[in-house]
Amino acid sequence: MSTSKLIDGKAASARVLKQVRDEVARLSADGVFPALAVILVGQDPASQVYVRNKILRAEEAGIKSLEYRLSAETSQGELLQLIADLNADNAVNGILLQLPLPEHIEEARALQAIAPGKDVDGFHSENVGGLSQGRDVLTPCTPSGCMQLLEEACGDLSGKHAVVIGRSNIVGKPMAALLLRAHCSVTVVHSRSVDAKALCRQADIVVAAVGRPRMIDASWLKPGAVVIDVGINRIEEDGRSKLVGDVDFNSALPQVSAITPVPGGVGPMTIAILMKNTVTAAVQQAHAQRVSSEAACLSIS
Ligand code: GUN
């Protein structure tokens, strides 16, 4: 198997995490100590794994992590109160509310309660709107990680035709906005698309984020396409449990010019970008606090 076509998310994420570690060390010399609060409501097994990994990576990067594991019976009011307390705490720079939430909690309401400047997931409407207007805001971690992998694999993306498969708020929609910001022509393919495969076959870049194991095979791909596989699907095969993407990797490989593997592609980038966003949030908050304390000194003197 040719490995030169592989886009190595593990190596790329290690580079991002190294930059984050270096930046955290520089900031600590200035008295800034980035801190991330991670909230998990309930016992979803996949979420528990993701949260554990986020906390481990934060510790490795020198970012302080505060873990809030709440029972599945936590009321919406209690969750909103915790978020309000974390918003008001100057020692907390980033707040991550792990999704999905139990059904009795309104996801949109909880996400909207997070202060936009601490919204390291980029899910608050102010950050979503800022991204679509091209403002410099905190952007969602998985699509931002995909962009970094694409830019490293392809260089300038300007003028390329990108097809995003899936239209979730977490991946599909922000991915389309980021590709547009990078001057791609963007098509979003979803469950109501007419002839999704024909649309996908026109793409220079395919980002698959549907959550269906191996749905995209070579027949969906233009020769030479670059493929980013966001899917992480657990399947049983040959009597064992495996993680596979939304792309049928073995079928796609001969057809593509580059492709992310699963695991080892997009997954590690998501966490690395979360750390990067936490440091960005800490820097912006430190700057804002400095400006407001200087303004207070000026108004006193
Ligand atoms: N659940 C699955 N992906 C994500 C993510 O990127 N952020 C949060 N907060 N929850 C998730």
Side-chain angles (χ1 to χ4, degrees):
M1 182 182 78
S2 155
T3 53
S4 61
K5 291 182 176 183
L6 284 189
I7 301 175
D8 186 346
K10 255 180 147 171
S13 71
R15 289 193 290 275
V16 174
L17 286 168
K18 162 91 174 63
Q19 286 166 1
V20 169
R21 260 197 315 276
D22 292 349
E23 180 68 5
V24 169
R26 262 195 303 278
L27 288 169
S28 70
D30 276 347
V32 176
F33 302 96
L36 172 67
V38 179
I39 308 172
L40 174 62
V41 189
Q43 310 282 331
D44 180 70
S47 293
Q48 287 183 336
V49 174
Y50 292 139
V51 162
R52 193 170 58 235
N53 287 337
K54 286 169 186 178
I55 286 165
L56 280 174
R57 290 292 99 71
E59 279 164 9
E60 282 165 19
I63 293 173
K64 181 173 176 196
S65 60
L66 302 132
E67 207 177 332
Y68 296 88
R69 289 178 181 267
L70 309 182
S71 86
E73 285 74 44
T74 303
S75 71
Q76 178 162 293
E78 286 166 331
L79 177 61
L80 293 178
Q81 185 57 53
L82 171 61
I83 293 171
D85 292 345
L86 295 170
N87 284 342
D89 186 344
N90 282 341
V92 172
N93 306 111
I95 302 171
L96 179 126
L97 176 60
Q98 186 65 31
L99 304 177
L101 294 170
E103 274 181 13
H104 66 277
I105 298 177
E106 257 180 278
E107 183 181 292
R109 176 105 188 261
L111 293 175
Q112 202 63 12
I114 297 172
K118 295 190 178 186
D119 170 32
V120 283
D121 257 325
F123 293 161
H124 189 284
S125 63
E126 194 167 312
N127 290 325
V128 174
L131 170 59
S132 80
Q133 290 176 336
R135 281 189 277 125
D136 190 15
V137 290
L138 292 166
T139 53
C141 303
T142 299
S144 302
C146 294
M147 286 305 288
Q148 184 143 345
L149 293 177
L150 275 172
E151 279 159 0
E152 287 180 14
C154 309
D156 185 12
L157 304 181
S158 179
K160 303 233 185 266
H161 181 203
V163 168
V164 179
I165 311 174
R167 55 174 161 173
S168 70
N169 289 338
I170 295 183
V171 184
K173 287 179 199 156
M175 188 73 227
L178 286 166
L179 287 161
L180 192 57
R181 191 168 84 175
H183 313 293
C184 290
S185 299
V186 184
T187 303
V188 180
V189 164
H190 49 77
S191 54
R192 305 277 180 99
S193 294
V194 175
D195 206 345
K197 189 188 276 196
L199 290 168
C200 195
R201 274 191 76 88
Q202 296 171 25
D204 304 309
I205 294 167
V206 174
V207 181
V210 263
R212 295 234 198 133
R214 296 182 182 142
M215 186 180 102
I216 316 297
D217 65 14
S219 68
W220 287 66
L221 303 169
K222 177 164 98 172
V226 174
V227 176
I228 302 289
D229 189 353
V230 180
I232 302 178
N233 309 291
R234 189 161 286 284
I235 62 160
E236 295 297 320
E237 195 171 68
D238 305 329
R240 62 193 183 98
S241 167
K242 285 187 181 176
L243 284 183
V244 299
D246 292 345
V247 178
D248 183 338
F249 184 85
N250 290 334
S251 163
L253 189 64
Q255 184 86 335
V256 301
S257 64
I259 184 168
T260 55
V262 176
V266 173
M269 284 304 279
T270 297
I271 299 189
I273 301 290
L274 174 65
M275 300 308 138
K276 191 172 165 184
N277 281 355
T278 303
V279 170
T280 301
V283 169
Q284 286 170 350
Q285 286 157 38
H287 182 70
Q289 275 160 18
R290 216 156 282 163
V291 168
S292 80
S293 62
E294 279 166 15
C297 284
L298 281 176
S299 71
I300 291 165
S301 60

